[in-house]
Amino acid sequence: MTGAALPQLLRPRALRPGELVVIASLSGPLHAVYEPDLDRAVVVLERMGFRVRRAPLLEAGRHHWWSADTPAEIATEFNALLRDPEVRAIIAHDGGQTALGYLDLIDFEAVAADPKPILGYSDISLLHLVLYARTGLVGFHADLATPGLGGAWQAAPAARRAELERLYSTLLTGTEAIGALPATPSWECWRAGRTEGRLIGGVINRIVLAQATPYALPLESFDGAVLFWEEMGGQASYVWSYLHVLRHCGILDRISGMVVGVPYAIDGLGAPDSSPTLPEMVLDVLGDRDIPVLGNVEFGHAGPNLPMPVGIRVGLDARQRTLSLLEPAVRSHTATGPVG
């Protein structure tokens, strides 16, 4: 898809203490065994100062095939949350395999009329990319409620949990740029360099799928962008193939930098004498494209997640292993309309 103008950046309004955050089944169902994790996620959000409510479809045992309900029913509930002025943010309970089924049912006018933060990763990557393409909405590629806030966060050291709570709260409520995201020794420089650009990405297989639909991001939106991606499951060769799809469609020729998340459960990755490591694979596909690449950053399925706000301008210094948010993800209560 080319030639379509990307909307101006649309930041949601900053949340105030006591405002309502709704946890919703935007894709996969809630299995009864994970009810305690969901309860812990509610506690985390309440500790950040928000009121929390479950959406009606978030009911243990409810399912349709591999989804919480039919795509049409999920879209109906999602649109109702988008239109409800009391709802100030929506966080997906989990990922799954359903968002492709209702992209054509989303009320984009409701998003534009009352933009609000939508949080999640995995299948929710599709929503971030499509809503950014159609409305300019800043998407919050961040932890899901049940496996994230109520799961991976609980297994992290107390200091890291507190750091993440402060970071998420500031991202949702603050109207100043956060600056450098908290780095860890796991971050790796795969190709040195510095750049600034719009942060665009998600799960790499969902980026590829999104670009195969009428809701694809215009190629021009990748001009100078910092592409972030991660992957979960499948084979190492699949990742190599997805990277080549991005090469063939011209995305790799347009971006100014790349940030790669911690790989999770990818078979054959780095296996002796049979498969390259992830950095070897990335650099092989990039070829002579001399852009900075920062790898093994904590976002995606490995969890817990650093937030990666889609559409926000970032600064990347791969040699120094820094990634900085150069502008806020939300706007003040007095600001109105899109912000370029």
Side-chain angles (χ1 to χ4, degrees):
M1 178 178 176
T2 59
L6 190 70
Q8 285 186 289
L9 194 65
L10 184 63
R11 291 184 177 89
R13 177 175 63 73
L15 271 69
R16 294 185 175 104
E19 289 192 319
L20 180 63
V21 175
V22 172
I23 304 175
S25 289
L26 301 181
S27 190
L30 172 62
H31 301 289
V33 68
Y34 294 117
E35 277 273 15
D37 293 344
L38 181 58
D39 291 339
R40 284 188 283 267
V42 172
V43 171
V44 171
L45 291 167
E46 290 176 340
R47 197 160 54 229
M48 291 183 195
F50 308 124
R51 288 187 295 122
V52 184
R53 179 187 302 164
R54 292 192 195 190
L57 293 182
L58 187 53
E59 176 184 334
R62 175 194 289 272
H63 70 94
H64 172 75
W65 297 350
W66 48 79
S67 306
D69 210 315
T70 65
E73 287 299 319
I74 292 176
T76 296
E77 180 164 282
F78 185 37
N79 287 334
L81 296 174
L82 294 172
R83 297 166 186 149
D84 186 343
E86 184 186 11
V87 176
R88 298 319 316 154
I90 303 165
I91 178 169
H93 128 74
D94 202 353
Q97 300 288 337
T98 312
L100 270 172
Y102 65 86
L103 297 181
D104 54 337
L105 303 177
I106 296 172
D107 186 347
F108 296 111
E109 291 183 0
V111 173
D114 184 15
K116 52 193 71 173
I118 298 167
L119 286 76
Y121 67 92
S122 195
D123 199 33
I124 312 307
S125 294
L126 275 169
L127 299 183
H128 298 322
L129 292 167
V130 167
L131 293 176
Y132 179 62
R134 286 301 176 98
T135 71
L137 182 71
V138 173
F140 290 71
H141 186 280
D143 256 314
L144 298 154
T146 304
L149 306 186
W153 283 37
Q154 307 305 311
R160 183 64 167 175
R161 289 200 306 272
E163 183 177 54
L164 288 169
E165 280 192 29
R166 289 193 299 270
L167 180 60
Y168 275 57
S169 179
T170 302
L171 191 72
L172 291 169
T173 65
T175 55
E176 299 295 329
I178 283 177
L181 291 173
T184 70
S186 75
W187 294 21
E188 298 171 347
C189 174
W190 293 354
R191 178 168 284 166
R194 300 173 60 185
T195 189
E196 293 183 7
R198 297 284 177 198
L199 190 63
I200 300 177
V203 183
I204 192 169
N205 68 71
R206 293 307 195 264
I207 300 172
V208 168
L209 287 172
Q211 293 305 107
T213 74
Y215 306 95
L217 280 165
L219 282 179
E220 291 78 9
S221 65
F222 291 95
D223 288 342
V226 174
L227 177 71
F228 76 94
W229 63 270
E230 57 102 7
E231 182 60 310
M232 176 267 192
Q235 302 288 328
S237 59
Y238 299 174
V239 179
W240 182 82
S241 297
Y242 296 143
L243 286 166
H244 275 292
V245 172
L246 300 184
R247 179 180 68 85
H248 286 306
C249 71
I251 289 175
L252 297 187
D253 292 325
R254 293 173 178 263
I255 61 175
S256 68
M258 181 183 289
V259 183
V260 183
V262 179
Y264 185 75
I266 299 175
D267 291 340
L269 191 61
D273 303 322
S274 64
S275 181
T277 64
L278 190 56
E280 287 173 335
M281 202 159 28
V282 168
L283 296 178
D284 175 70
V285 179
L286 281 177
D288 60 0
R289 296 170 180 83
D290 190 16
I291 60 172
V293 182
L294 181 65
N296 222 39
V297 177
E298 294 94 346
F299 63 87
H301 288 80
N305 271 259
L306 292 172
M308 306 290 280
V310 174
I312 293 301
R313 192 165 185 82
V314 298
L316 167 64
D317 188 328
R319 185 184 299 278
Q320 297 299 318
R321 296 184 302 160
T322 61
L323 181 66
S324 302
L325 306 186
L326 301 180
E327 55 188 8
V330 294
R331 57 183 169 86
S332 70
H333 299 277
T334 57
T336 58
V339 178

